[in-house]
Amino acid sequence: MTESDFVLKGSFEYPLEGNIVWKAPSNIALVKYWGKKPNQIPANPSISFTLDACATTTSLSFKKLEQKSNFFSFDLLFEGKAKEDFKPKITTFLERIEKYVPFLKEYHFNIETSNSFPHSSGIASSASGMAALSLCLVSIEKMINPSLEEAFLKQKASFLARLGSGSACRSIEGDLIQWGEYKNITESSNLYGVKYPFDVHSVFKNYHDTILLVHKGQKTVSSTVGHDLMHNHPFAEERFKQAHINLDKLNATFKEGNLDNFIAIVESEALTLHAMMMTSLPYFILMKPNTMEIINRIWEFRKRSKTHVCFTLDAGANVHVLYPESEKKEVFQFIKDELVAFCENGHYICDRIGYGAKELKV
Ligand code: DP6
């Protein structure tokens, strides 16, 4: 598929009005996307677990204007309140996708969006938010052209979501999604995420992710600034190569169900992401002292308990604690006994691997 395959072509009759609601999950990358080229093209391939509990629900109602407008006409409610400061991000997104969904200026939209997790939790909602909005828009496209197939619509939603936020393209389906050209997955693409096509050992089903909220509130470095730091970064080229190698290793690991290898790859990816930020110019340390405390305690506990708990990080201080279903009881007890004390106000979120976005009936 190329970009032009995603342009809605032909002359259609547009529906006069309607309302669509989608709930889209967040995702956590195992091999990280960090660094991009123009037009939201990733510098390296990535892979993620789709989550379940952390999600955004977006309701999009639309009403056809008497005359096509010269600008994007929309109102935005976030958690029931008008949110003017979210509007520029949505406008930029609509500008980027207009070419592919040419009906945008035919309508006035009411966008109502809410997250299952507190906005102040420091968890980025851009992946689930952009995924939910893209799915709503693609549902309108389906009303315009009912002959479009489900598989194409999912792919297009991922394609549009990527233009809003790169990692959002991995939030349409589950449970393991790969994004970015990668030699061993023929169907892989820089333009959208694909379902991981190979065998995955049953130990990875129902994997848990307990998200420890070490530091709530705004991130020190926005992802846009962060990705930019990879331009002229002294280690960038090696890092991009390493992502391919880690994907190769993960393929074997997923097949065999080798949790020790899984841990080594996932923790190394998390620390490499942070190492890239520590070695860029300007440089940043996004971990907090409590992030380090948690990591050290996970390592100690893993050694003494012989469980397979491990961590990954996004571009912030929060820690995602990953563990298999079979070790749930022991690891969760450890989290409560030893790790929750390092969370801001003791807050954490219990999540697990999920199976993708859902349309909600209105
Ligand atoms: C560290 O998808 O938030 O979470 O494309 O600029 O919106 P933009 O970036 P974004 O970057 C996510 C970075 C990451 C790693 C990952 O999810 O792969």
Side-chain angles (χ1 to χ4, degrees):
M1 295 286 277
T2 64
E3 273 146 323
S4 62
D5 295 321
F6 290 106
V7 177
L8 172 67
K9 295 177 201 103
S11 53
F12 301 99
E13 224 174 282
Y14 289 156
L16 292 180
E17 58 186 345
N19 184 17
I20 286 155
V21 185
W22 276 91
K23 181 176 181 185
S26 186
N27 69 75
I28 180 69
L30 304 171
V31 171
K32 310 285 180 183
Y33 147 58
W34 199 243
K36 61 177 160 182
K37 301 176 195 166
N39 209 15
Q40 294 287 100
I41 298 299
N44 65 261
S46 58
I47 191 164
S48 53
F49 276 155
T50 304
L51 295 179
D52 183 45
C54 288
T56 299
T57 300
T58 297
S59 153
L60 184 70
S61 30
F62 53 98
K63 207 173 167 82
K64 193 152 183 313
L65 300 165
E66 305 235 309
Q67 242 183 342
K68 189 172 176 176
S69 157
N70 290 324
F71 54 87
F72 299 114
S73 171
F74 69 95
D75 291 312
L76 180 73
L77 288 186
F78 176 71
E79 266 143 35
K81 292 193 194 86
K83 198 78 183 160
E84 287 307 309
D85 48 332
F86 278 14
K87 281 185 135 185
K89 196 162 183 194
I90 301 288
T91 304
T92 308
F93 173 54
L94 298 178
E95 275 163 7
R96 286 189 193 159
I97 65 170
E98 192 188 5
K99 200 160 123 193
Y100 307 102
V101 274
F103 51 83
L104 294 179
K105 287 185 180 147
E106 303 281 351
Y107 289 101
H108 176 76
F109 294 101
N110 276 314
I111 309 170
E112 284 185 45
T113 186
S114 58
N115 292 335
S116 64
F117 47 91
H119 183 56
S120 62
S121 62
I123 298 195
S125 58
S126 58
S128 50
M130 289 299 175
L133 183 55
S134 301
L135 284 157
C136 290
L137 292 170
V138 162
S139 290
I140 300 181
E141 180 162 335
K142 169 88 179 163
M143 291 169 81
I144 294 173
N145 181 5
S147 73
L148 294 172
E149 303 219 345
E150 218 46 47
F152 170 79
L153 294 169
K154 288 260 167 72
Q155 210 167 50
K156 180 154 179 179
S158 175
F159 173 87
L160 296 179
R162 180 196 105 246
L163 292 168
S165 177
S167 57
C169 78
R170 300 187 312 237
S171 271
I172 306 294
E173 294 187 274
D175 46 350
L176 256 177
I177 302 292
Q178 193 272 327
W179 168 45
E181 281 170 17
Y182 164 58
K183 68 174 190 317
N184 290 329
I185 297 184
T186 333
E187 55 273 55
S188 66
S189 169
N190 283 339
L191 302 180
Y192 46 82
V194 296
K195 269 166 103 80
Y196 182 73
F198 305 129
D199 286 348
V200 177
H201 191 279
S202 58
V203 75
F204 294 108
K205 296 285 161 200
N206 292 327
Y207 227 75
H208 289 264
D209 178 3
T210 302
I211 308 164
L212 304 180
L213 306 174
V214 171
H215 180 71
K216 302 198 214 168
Q218 243 9 49
K219 288 187 174 174
T220 333
V221 185
S222 73
S223 54
T224 313
V225 171
H227 288 289
D228 264 358
L229 296 172
M230 290 303 274
H231 293 296
N232 304 318
H233 190 295
F235 309 134
E237 282 318 308
E238 281 308 309
R239 158 59 199 155
F240 299 146
K241 277 189 218 153
Q242 181 200 38
H244 289 261
I245 295 168
N246 281 343
L247 271 172
D248 293 345
K249 290 186 189 163
L250 262 186
N251 288 343
T253 305
F254 280 138
K255 197 169 171 195
E256 294 156 6
N258 187 327
L259 289 177
D260 293 331
N261 289 350
F262 177 76
I263 292 168
I265 300 160
V266 167
E267 291 190 345
S268 161
E269 274 287 322
L271 295 178
T272 302
L273 168 71
H274 282 252
M276 288 298 114
M277 276 176 278
M278 288 187 214
T279 50
S280 56
L281 280 174
Y283 41 79
F284 296 94
I285 299 180
L286 302 183
M287 287 190 246
K288 298 282 177 202
N290 282 353
T291 313
M292 284 310 306
E293 270 297 336
I294 289 170
I295 291 174
N296 280 318
R297 280 171 189 259
I298 288 175
W299 285 343
E300 281 162 22
F301 174 77
R302 189 163 73 218
K303 214 165 158 190
R304 71 170 188 268
S305 66
K306 308 261 184 304
T307 57
H308 297 88
V309 57
C310 73
F311 70 87
T312 187
L313 306 165
D314 60 12
N318 296 334
V319 183
H320 290 248
V321 186
L322 304 177
Y323 47 101
E325 171 76 15
S326 59
E327 297 174 0
K328 175 174 115 181
K329 224 172 136 209
E330 206 176 345
V331 175
F332 190 56
Q333 194 59 49
F334 153 69
I335 292 173
K336 285 190 291 189
D337 292 347
E338 288 199 40
L339 303 185
V340 170
F342 299 106
C343 299
E344 200 173 322
N345 304 323
H347 287 170
Y348 62 92
I349 299 171
C350 289
D351 211 337
R352 56 163 70 205
I353 207 163
Y355 295 90
K358 287 193 184 70
E359 184 168 7
L360 307 182
K361 293 291 158 221
V362 274

